[in-house]
Amino acid sequence: MIETTEDELRHSGYQAELKRTLGGFQVFAISFAFISVLVAIFATYGAVLNYSGPVGIWLWVVVAVGQTLVALVVAQFAARIALSGSSYQWASRLANPKVGWFFGWLTFWFLAIGVVAMNNGLASQALMPLFGMAPDEDVARLITLALMLTEAVLVVASTRLLGMVTSTTVGLELVILVLLIVGLGAVMVFSGSGTVANLTSRGVAADAPNYFAIGGPLMAGMIMGLVTLVGFDSAANLAEEAKDPFRTVPRAIVSSVVASSVLGLLFIVILTLAIKDVAGVTASGSPVASIIREQVGPVMERILLAGIAFAMFGSGMVMTAACSRQAFAMARDSRFPAHTLIRKVNPRTHTPVYATALILVIGVVLMVALPGTALIQLIVASTILPALLYGGIVVLYLCVRKRLERKEGGFSLGRFELPVAYAALVWVAFAIFVLVAPSDAGVPRLVVLGLFGVGGLYFAALMLFNREVLESEPGDPDAL
């Protein structure tokens, strides 16, 4: 029986190349920063107002419950297998390497596209308005690449530095959220400017046809929660750099979702109460900023933008680190393009330099090759990937749960594991339907199929020319 994380690495066939520097709060900060509830609501609140009207915010509760169920299942794996690569490792070692490869491939692209999306949003929605720059797609793309380069350099420099930045980012984001919730609430109480009727208003969607239909306007309001409450498993991607990962990682996964869900609900309820003109706010380019400007003035709006910019930068760093670890984990098993290069770890910084540089290269290609509408469609398509991955993880858990070793003192659902897993499976199936059912989701569906197709070609090449790497796992097959 394996007793320590170092034993697990050795029995899994790996050397301890990465350095364990992340404490409990830093591991939590990585998952919380990836979710980045303040940033995500800032970006998607307008979509809810347009699709469903203000009443659509209550769908956040449905998504929060569903994603918490998924997080509980993910935590069950994280409490038993503490290896970089998360679902790639879980599926490879508990099902077979061929299944694991597809988990890893989809996770890599979800993270890689997420890095580009986050930094492009940081450039166009936060930094440019903050510095009074006129909207310009070409300028936004140049700033995006500069941000990605900066994040890559910092991620390569030190995992400890990554932990410090994400911890600071999370601390600032929590402070901003609390100040906004309390501040806006106080202003409304003392000025009487809050509108309770907003909480049940359909707003501009009042006359929308088939409002309550499956795939209709109300259901479309779930997009805010589905886009926000993802990436909580990023802590598992850095499990080999976490102290006591069998305890800290699963706790971080669950607590980050719960904390984000509660704070996010409070924030969107306060925002909705604070709307003075529903139609006007809905039509604005940045509804959250407009609400804050109306209630507390332009100075607070600029402070908000500065805080959001820093939070987005921290989230971008987390995504870059998680994506590079995903590529590294697959490359050291010789299952990733250019694996002999991508698997290399700098002996001084103990970080995968080439795997991190790859994320920057992908960003350059996407920024140069894709026009504005194509880039947006790619980003929209990336929202489908985590739902597919989480569905796969839940199915995997139901198939292999009896073979999972129980770690003493590790996270466990006990007698609730089956009810939670089946409930999570129902939820993920529903979430996937919500994301792919709308008629305007045709291009994102094709993008996802394209990623599967390209992955299938590389997988076929592995099967033809390097089949042995997909036949067995490194190390002791009974170690986990």
Side-chain angles (χ1 to χ4, degrees):
M1 180 175 178
I2 299 171
E3 297 293 342
T4 67
T5 51
E6 284 68 26
D7 288 336
E8 176 159 315
L9 270 178
R10 187 175 65 255
H11 286 278
S12 299
Y14 303 132
Q15 299 293 322
E17 298 178 274
L18 306 176
K19 193 173 182 180
R20 295 194 183 278
T21 57
L22 301 174
F25 181 76
Q26 291 173 321
V27 175
F28 163 79
I30 284 169
S31 285
F32 190 86
F34 193 114
I35 296 172
S36 197
V37 65
L38 174 64
V39 172
I41 290 175
F42 181 83
T44 59
Y45 185 70
V48 175
L49 296 181
N50 278 285
Y51 287 136
S52 311
V55 71
I57 65 169
W58 297 112
L59 292 169
W60 176 275
V61 178
V62 177
V63 179
V65 172
Q67 295 299 83
T68 300
L69 291 171
V70 174
L72 289 168
V73 175
V74 172
Q76 292 278 88
F77 278 123
R80 292 164 174 82
I81 303 177
L83 297 173
S84 294
S86 60
S87 59
Y88 158 71
Q89 293 283 4
W90 305 336
S92 294
R93 294 177 181 277
L94 296 171
N96 67 69
K98 299 178 183 67
V99 174
W101 188 89
F102 279 97
F103 272 86
W105 180 255
L106 290 182
T107 301
F108 173 79
W109 282 108
F110 160 56
L111 294 170
I113 296 170
V115 173
V116 176
M118 178 61 69
N119 284 291
N120 191 247
L122 169 55
S124 60
Q125 297 179 37
L127 288 180
M128 293 177 70
L130 182 63
F131 292 108
M133 301 170 65
D136 187 307
E137 184 179 335
D138 293 333
V139 173
R141 290 181 179 229
L142 289 174
I143 296 174
T144 298
L145 293 178
L147 289 167
M148 290 185 66
L149 175 61
T150 305
E151 289 165 0
V153 169
L154 293 175
V155 167
V156 165
S158 168
T159 302
R160 186 184 297 276
L161 179 62
L162 170 68
M164 291 171 60
V165 172
T166 53
S167 296
T168 304
T169 298
V170 167
L172 178 62
E173 185 170 355
L174 288 172
V175 169
I176 292 175
L177 275 170
V178 171
L179 287 177
L180 284 173
I181 292 169
V182 175
L184 286 175
V187 168
M188 287 186 288
V189 168
F190 290 113
S191 67
S193 58
T195 307
V196 177
N198 287 345
L199 296 177
T200 55
S201 169
R202 296 189 197 178
V204 298
D207 298 322
N210 304 314
Y211 184 81
F212 294 100
I214 295 176
L218 178 62
M219 189 179 292
M222 291 177 65
I223 190 68
M224 180 167 62
L226 290 172
V227 168
T228 303
L229 299 174
V230 296
F232 43 81
D233 52 319
S234 57
N237 252 334
L238 280 81
E240 290 179 34
E241 293 154 273
K243 300 174 183 176
D244 194 13
F246 296 120
R247 291 180 175 82
T248 58
V249 172
R251 288 174 184 171
I253 289 170
V254 176
S255 60
S256 63
V257 176
V258 173
S260 297
S261 298
V262 173
L263 287 171
L265 178 62
L266 291 174
F267 185 40
I268 58 178
V269 167
I270 289 294
L271 281 176
T272 305
L273 287 170
I275 297 176
K276 294 180 178 180
D277 176 7
V278 172
V281 167
T282 303
S284 69
S286 179
V288 175
S290 297
I291 294 169
I292 293 169
R293 188 188 315 121
E294 287 181 354
Q295 290 287 351
V296 296
V299 174
M300 277 299 298
E301 179 195 4
R302 295 186 71 82
I303 292 173
L304 168 70
L305 283 175
I308 285 177
F310 188 63
M312 293 177 87
F313 184 79
S315 185
M317 280 188 67
V318 169
M319 290 182 179
T320 301
C323 191
S324 67
R325 272 50 171 189
Q326 184 68 45
F328 163 76
M330 297 180 72
R332 67 179 173 184
D333 293 337
S334 302
R335 298 170 186 162
F336 197 82
H339 58 85
T340 55
L341 190 64
I342 301 300
R343 71 195 303 172
K344 290 184 178 180
V345 173
N346 185 290
R348 185 176 62 84
T349 63
H350 298 281
T351 53
V353 177
Y354 293 104
T356 308
L358 174 64
I359 318 306
L360 179 61
V361 171
I362 290 173
V364 171
V365 171
L366 293 180
M367 288 291 102
V368 172
L370 295 182
T373 54
L375 181 65
I376 291 172
Q377 293 289 358
L378 180 66
I379 291 170
V380 172
S382 70
T383 62
I384 301 174
L385 295 178
L388 293 174
L389 286 165
Y390 292 147
I393 290 172
V394 174
V395 171
L396 176 68
Y397 182 78
L398 288 169
C399 292
V400 305
R401 65 183 184 83
K402 292 183 179 179
R403 295 193 280 118
L404 286 173
E405 177 187 308
R406 306 289 175 178
K407 302 286 185 182
E408 184 178 351
F411 180 86
S412 176
L413 291 176
R415 62 182 178 177
F416 296 104
E417 66 170 327
L418 268 182
V420 167
Y422 281 120
L425 182 62
V426 172
W427 158 250
V428 173
F430 177 65
I432 292 172
F433 174 78
V434 169
L435 290 168
V436 302
S439 57
D440 58 357
V443 174
R445 288 197 296 265
L446 290 176
V447 171
V448 172
L449 290 175
L451 290 175
F452 270 105
V454 173
L457 291 175
Y458 183 75
F459 181 82
L462 281 179
M463 291 294 290
L464 286 172
F465 304 110
N466 201 11
R467 188 185 186 95
E468 62 274 9
V469 302
L470 293 171
E471 295 296 332
S472 62
E473 284 297 293
D476 179 2
D478 298 321
L480 302 177

